[in-house]
Amino acid sequence: MLSEKTIQTIKSTVPVLEVHGTAITKKFYELLFANHPELLNIFNHANQKQGKQQTALANAVYAAAQHIDKLEAILPVVKQIAHKHRSLGVRAEHYPIVGEHLLAAIQEVLGKAANAEILRAWGEAYNVIADVFISVEADMYKQSQEQYGGWAEFRPFRVARKVKESDVITSFYLVPQDGGAIAAFKPGQYISVNIQIPDDPHTHIRQYSLSDASGKPYYRISVKREDSIQGHPAGKVSVFLHEQVKEGDVLAISAPAGDFTLEQQDAKPVVLISGGVGLTPMISMLNTLAKTDSSRPVTFIHAAQHGDMHAMREHVEELALEHPQLSVYWCYAKPTDRDRVLNSFHKEGLIDFPWLTSVVGTKESSFYFCGPIPFMKAVNEILKEWGVRETNIHYEFFGPASTL
C-alpha cells in the first residue's frame, strides 16, 4: 500500500503530466531503445514513428496519477493492456527495465522540478502498479497455457488457405503445424502474429482480430493491406503478408487474447457496426450469433468506400437469408458506377444520426463498433446523442488504446 504522503505527492504531479506527459513518454522510449534495442522486437515500430504509443502511455501514466488513491478504478484498463502484453510476450523481468527508464525520462524532461521526493514517490508508485500488471499477466499466461489446446507465447501455424476478400483485404486460414488442438476464443478477440522479414534486423509483432467463430479447426485473420498514403509509410507487416506469405508457409502466433468480446448471455438486441477492416471482429461476433442464438435480433451495418473494398459481403447476405432475425445494411462513402447500377448499397455517404436511428429498432440494444478512429468517434457521438446507455456501448481500437 502507498503512504498518504506518496499519494499526495503523485497527485501533485497531475497538472505537470497533463502538460509534459507525451514529452516524458517520448524521451522514455528514446532511452529505453537506446539501452535495450532488443525490445524493438516487441514494440510496433510504426506506432512509435506516428507517436501513437507515446500518447497511449502518456494517457496511462496520467490516469494512474489521477487514480493513485483508488487503483481499482483503472483495473479494466490494466486488464486490457495486460491482454496485449500477454499476446506480445511481455514478461515480469521487463518491468524493472521500464521503471528505471521512466523515472530517468521524468527527471530529464522536468529537470529540477522533479525533485528527490517526486522521484521517490513515482518509483514507489510504479512498483505497486507494476506488481498489479505482473500478477494479472501471470494469471493470463497460466490460463492461456493450461486451457485445452492452449500454449504460452508463440506457436507455429501453417497457412492452409489464403483468400482474397476484396481489393484490400485478404484472409489467412491458420492451422497448427504440430496437428494438435487449438484454444477456443471469445468472439472479438485477436491473435498476435510474430513476423521475421528477410534482411530486417528485428522481428515484428502485430495483432489481428479473429474473423470467424470459435470451434473451427483453424484460426482465420483477415488483413488489410496498408499502402503508403498521405505521408504515412506502408504497413511493413501487412504488405509482407499480402505479397510474400503464401499457402504452406509457417507463421508464429500467440494464443487468442483481448477483452473486446460479445456478451453472449445478454438478451438485448445486438447492433454490430463496422468501418473498413473493422468488420473482422464483427464477423466473428456475427458468425457466433448465427451459430448459437437463432432468436436474438441482430442488426449488421458495414461502411466501406465502395463495393470493391467491401469484404465478406456475400457471406453476410447469405446469413441474412438463413436467419430472419438478422438485418443487414451497407453504407458506401464513394459508391462506384457499378454499385449504383446494381443498387448494392443502402446509404451513400457517411453514417449519420437520422439514418442510423431509422434502421436500428431500439436504442435499448447492445452496440459494438470498430473501424478507423474518425469513424468510431462519429458512431460514438451518434449513440451518445441518441441517449444510449454507456454500459451498452462497446468498441475496440486497432493499435494503442485511445479515447473517443
Side-chain angles (χ1 to χ4, degrees):
M1 296 293 292
L2 296 174
S3 68
E4 185 61 29
K5 183 178 180 181
T6 296
I7 288 171
Q8 292 309 313
T9 301
I10 294 294
K11 281 188 166 291
S12 74
T13 66
V14 168
V16 178
L17 292 173
E18 189 171 12
V19 176
H20 299 288
T22 302
I24 291 170
T25 55
K26 182 179 179 181
K27 176 56 65 175
F28 157 73
Y29 283 115
E30 289 176 3
L31 296 172
L32 181 68
F33 295 141
N35 294 321
H36 291 274
E38 74 277 6
L39 294 180
L40 285 165
N41 292 313
I42 294 178
F43 285 88
N44 184 316
H45 301 187
N47 289 336
Q48 290 289 324
K49 290 178 181 177
Q50 296 171 22
K52 293 180 179 179
Q53 192 67 55
Q54 293 89 332
T55 300
L57 179 58
N59 289 340
V61 173
Y62 181 71
Q66 279 186 309
H67 300 286
I68 196 67
D69 55 340
K70 47 183 186 300
L71 287 176
E72 66 276 6
I74 64 170
L75 191 58
V77 179
V78 169
K79 289 183 177 178
Q80 181 185 65
I81 297 172
H83 273 285
K84 292 271 189 184
H85 285 180
R86 198 275 292 160
S87 78
L88 291 168
V90 172
R91 287 292 188 175
E93 55 266 29
H94 293 131
Y95 280 92
I97 298 171
V98 168
E100 174 190 346
H101 290 85
L102 185 59
L103 290 178
I106 291 173
Q107 186 169 31
E108 186 165 337
V109 171
L110 300 185
K112 293 181 181 179
N115 58 37
E117 182 180 357
I118 286 176
L119 292 175
R120 180 202 58 78
W122 264 107
E124 185 180 342
Y126 174 82
N127 288 334
V128 169
I129 295 169
D131 285 344
V132 173
F133 272 101
I134 291 169
S135 175
V136 170
E137 289 163 15
D139 287 342
M140 287 183 175
Y141 275 111
K142 185 170 185 273
Q143 181 182 358
S144 174
Q145 187 166 13
E146 293 181 354
Q147 66 182 320
Y148 177 75
W151 68 96
E153 299 196 6
F154 293 95
R155 179 180 175 188
F157 274 63
R158 179 174 55 83
V159 179
R161 292 176 61 204
K162 182 179 179 181
V163 178
K164 185 175 181 178
E165 305 284 5
S166 76
D167 282 358
V168 292
I169 295 175
T170 293
S171 288
F172 298 81
Y173 291 74
L174 308 172
V175 298
Q177 189 180 35
D178 60 16
I182 58 175
F185 62 90
K186 297 178 181 179
Q189 289 192 305
Y190 55 82
I191 57 174
S192 287
V193 181
N194 193 337
I195 296 288
Q196 179 66 65
I197 298 175
D199 300 322
D200 193 309
H202 303 291
T203 58
H204 297 270
I205 304 176
R206 296 292 186 273
Q207 283 92 28
Y208 294 108
S209 295
L210 292 156
S211 62
D212 205 346
S214 185
K216 308 273 178 81
Y218 58 81
Y219 292 144
R220 184 177 72 181
I221 57 174
S222 302
V223 180
K224 179 186 176 186
R225 177 186 170 122
E226 299 289 352
D227 290 309
S228 177
I229 184 171
Q230 296 178 347
H232 291 290
K236 184 174 288 189
V237 173
S238 70
V239 170
F240 179 77
L241 288 169
H242 275 249
E243 291 188 350
Q244 304 298 324
V245 173
K246 57 187 181 298
E247 292 180 358
D249 287 350
V250 175
L251 302 174
I253 70 171
S254 74
D259 64 347
F260 173 66
T261 57
L262 178 70
E263 296 179 9
Q264 293 180 257
Q265 304 306 314
D266 184 1
K268 292 189 294 295
V270 61
V271 182
L272 307 175
I273 309 173
S274 56
V277 76
L279 95 164
T280 51
M282 302 299 142
I283 290 289
S284 179
M285 294 181 185
L286 179 63
N287 287 357
T288 301
L289 287 164
K291 182 176 72 171
T292 61
D293 192 341
S294 59
S295 60
R296 189 176 178 188
V298 179
T299 303
F300 188 92
I301 300 169
H302 181 61
Q305 289 292 307
H306 48 75
D308 293 336
M309 296 181 72
H310 186 170
M312 303 181 185
R313 173 180 175 140
E314 290 183 4
H315 168 72
V316 175
E317 290 179 340
E318 288 173 1
L319 285 180
L321 292 175
E322 298 169 4
H323 300 275
Q325 84 282 8
L326 171 59
S327 301
V328 172
Y329 299 94
W330 313 132
C331 181
Y332 289 175
K334 299 176 182 178
T336 64
D337 291 340
R338 182 170 180 271
D339 293 329
R340 296 181 193 281
V341 169
L342 296 175
N343 195 26
S344 60
F345 57 95
H346 302 89
K347 185 184 188 309
E348 180 172 354
L350 304 179
I351 294 174
D352 55 31
F353 182 94
W355 183 80
L356 183 62
T357 54
S358 70
V359 299
V360 175
T362 173
K363 67 179 181 181
E364 297 301 324
S365 302
S366 291
F367 293 84
Y368 298 82
F369 57 96
C370 186
I373 290 180
F375 168 85
M376 295 210 298
K377 285 184 175 179
V379 172
N380 192 56
E381 288 173 6
I382 292 170
L383 299 182
K384 294 289 189 181
E385 183 182 351
W386 197 12
V388 177
R389 286 181 288 182
E390 191 170 339
T391 53
N392 289 341
I393 298 175
H394 315 274
Y395 54 84
E396 167 93 315
F397 289 100
F398 285 169
S402 183
T403 59
L404 296 182

